[in-house]
Amino acid sequence: MIPAPFDYVAPSSVDEAVQALAAAGEDAKVLAGGQSLLPVLRMRLAAPSTVVDLGRIAELRGVREEGDTLVVGAMTTHYDVQRDPLVAEHAALVKEATDTVADPQVRHRGTFGGSIAHADPAGDLLAPVLALDSALVIAGPGGRRTMPAAEFFQDYFTTALAPDELLVEVRLPKHTGWRAHYEKFNRVAQAWSMCAVAATVRTEGGVIEEARIALTNMGATPVRATAVERALLGAPANAETIRAAAAHAAEGTSPAPDGNSDVAYRQHLARVLTGRAITAAVG
């Protein structure tokens, strides 16, 4: 199907992009990698008055260090995130999750920030960003503001972004030396997750000193499994401890039933996958 007519703007800076969004009003859409937006346009599930293409804004690409933080530009592709040595060293959980995103074609075009701003609860990058206590930098007409990931995701496909604002970068606190694993369950390869678990842990002398666990597609937003984290804290990194901690994984979740599973099954998946993810993370 052919999209409905729209105006097309391709700014060369963040300021120009913000001005374009402000001028277009609430009917504008932002084009990053296009892996989510273009199918929606072609099916006419969305008919924006203006599409603002961020592809020419070089400052939104790349990964850099700032002290104890990794800064990932919103337009950095999944492919580049996968292969960045800084991400592998300091944010292994993000690399683990990015490796599972769709297929190579999508990873070459899709963007880190675009996936996060799209806020699909089944998307694979939201839970790692939440688990790592990341901060999101937003640009708007009034300047830039920084927001914790826990406040950014608000509902299904809904974030704290105003219509005239852009996500410009994601700030990941370094988790150097932490081991990580992203455990994903789907019916067929490259499909959205029915449930997935992002787990990263720091161990010392066989004891779990710290743990960060978050769940994909177990609610309207990514869910932090704080009860699991508390159960792991200071405990020996063995099968018994992990099994007991993983039993808490479904607490506080509210997955929506769909054609693949009901609520009880998804919560069962959360417990099983959490155990697998932690086991893999601690080795």
Side-chain angles (χ1 to χ4, degrees), residues 96-162:
E96 286 272 330
T98 306
D99 286 344
T100 75
V101 172
D103 54 36
Q105 292 91 334
V106 169
R107 292 195 290 271
H108 273 80
R109 293 293 301 173
T111 64
F112 191 68
S115 179
I116 293 168
H118 186 52
D120 187 332
D124 292 304
L125 300 181
L126 278 62
V129 165
L130 178 65
L132 295 179
D133 292 319
S134 305
L136 308 180
V137 180
I138 298 166
R144 298 195 178 195
R145 60 192 178 106
T146 302
M147 173 176 291
E151 298 176 15
F152 182 78
F153 303 113
Q154 297 187 341
D155 207 336
Y156 288 101
F157 301 98
T158 304
T159 70
L161 287 170

Side-chain angles (χ1 to χ4, degrees), residues 10-18 30-31 52-62 74-76 144 166 168:
S12 58
S13 70
V14 171
D15 289 342
E16 289 180 10
V18 170
V30 173
L31 174 63
V52 180
D53 185 352
L54 306 184
R56 298 182 183 177
I57 306 179
E59 64 185 285
L60 294 182
R61 292 190 178 87
M75 287 293 289
T76 308
R144 298 195 178 195
L166 292 172
V168 294

Side-chain angles (χ1 to χ4, degrees), residues 156 254-264 266:
Y156 288 101
S254 54
D258 56 26
N260 293 317
S261 60
D262 59 16
V263 172
R266 294 267 287 281

Side-chain angles (χ1 to χ4, degrees), residues 28-78:
K29 289 288 186 182
V30 173
L31 174 63
Q35 302 306 295
S36 299
L37 178 61
L38 292 182
V40 170
L41 292 180
R42 293 189 65 181
M43 291 186 288
R44 296 204 177 193
L45 297 176
S49 61
T50 304
V51 170
V52 180
D53 185 352
L54 306 184
R56 298 182 183 177
I57 306 179
E59 64 185 285
L60 294 182
R61 292 190 178 87
V63 180
R64 68 180 189 274
E65 290 181 276
E66 286 188 7
D68 293 333
T69 302
L70 281 189
V71 183
V72 182
M75 287 293 289
T76 308
T77 65
H78 303 312

Side-chain angles (χ1 to χ4, degrees), residues 22 57 79 104 155 167 199 214 271:
I57 306 179
Y79 177 86
D155 207 336
L167 174 63
R271 291 186 286 268

Side-chain angles (χ1 to χ4, degrees), residues 8-9 14 22 25 58 63 72 83 86 118 131 161 182 189 192 202 208 217 221 227 230 236 238 245 263 265 269-270:
Y8 174 80
V9 182
V14 171
V63 180
V72 182
R83 284 154 180 78
L86 292 175
H118 186 52
L161 287 170
Y182 187 71
W192 295 107
R202 182 176 66 84
I208 299 173
N217 212 13
T221 63
R230 289 194 297 269
N238 58 37
V263 172
Y265 180 63
L269 278 178

